[in-house]
Amino acid sequence: MCLGIPGRVLEIVDIDNGITKVDMGGVVRTISTAVLATDDPVAVGDWLLIHLGFALSKIDEEEAEDSLNFLRRLGDPGAHEPSVPGDGSGRRDVP
């Protein structure tokens, strides 16, 4: 299993060699589109799924936003705190 990060194409740096600049959730990176399996050329504004600096596939904006929101929740330490049953005092009502 690999983790793909969505990135939005900002600039086609070198079309012949498949070098593209993308925004990955506020971080700008230069990536390769050389292994991208599509007949549809990459254009500014497209969303790509990126792993280890390589675009794996084109994705739509909705899928990109869903993935970015999921990754943000993973990075939010408060999003994973388990709820404790009881009256809110922190005591557990365990028989």
Side-chain angles (χ1 to χ4, degrees):
M1 182 174 140
C2 68
L3 177 64
I5 308 293
R8 188 166 195 163
V9 176
L10 298 175
E11 175 186 352
I12 309 298
V13 177
D14 183 345
I15 197 164
D16 294 329
N17 292 305
I19 306 298
T20 304
K21 192 173 287 189
V22 296
D23 177 353
M24 299 171 61
V27 177
V28 176
R29 297 275 189 233
T30 301
I31 59 112
S32 173
T33 58
V35 298
L36 186 61
T38 182
D39 294 329
D40 186 20
V42 174
V44 172
D46 284 347
W47 283 95
L48 305 173
L49 191 61
I50 301 160
H51 177 67
L52 297 174
F54 292 91
L56 301 178
S57 63
K58 282 180 135 181
I59 58 175
D60 63 35
E61 186 171 4
E62 183 179 348
E63 184 178 353
E65 288 301 324
D66 288 346
S67 295
L68 288 170
N69 287 331
F70 173 75
L71 292 170
R72 286 183 194 107
R73 285 192 311 272
L74 283 179
D76 179 5
H80 305 291
E81 293 181 19
S83 61
V84 178
D87 61 5
S89 66
R91 294 179 306 211
R92 298 190 81 154
D93 298 329
V94 179

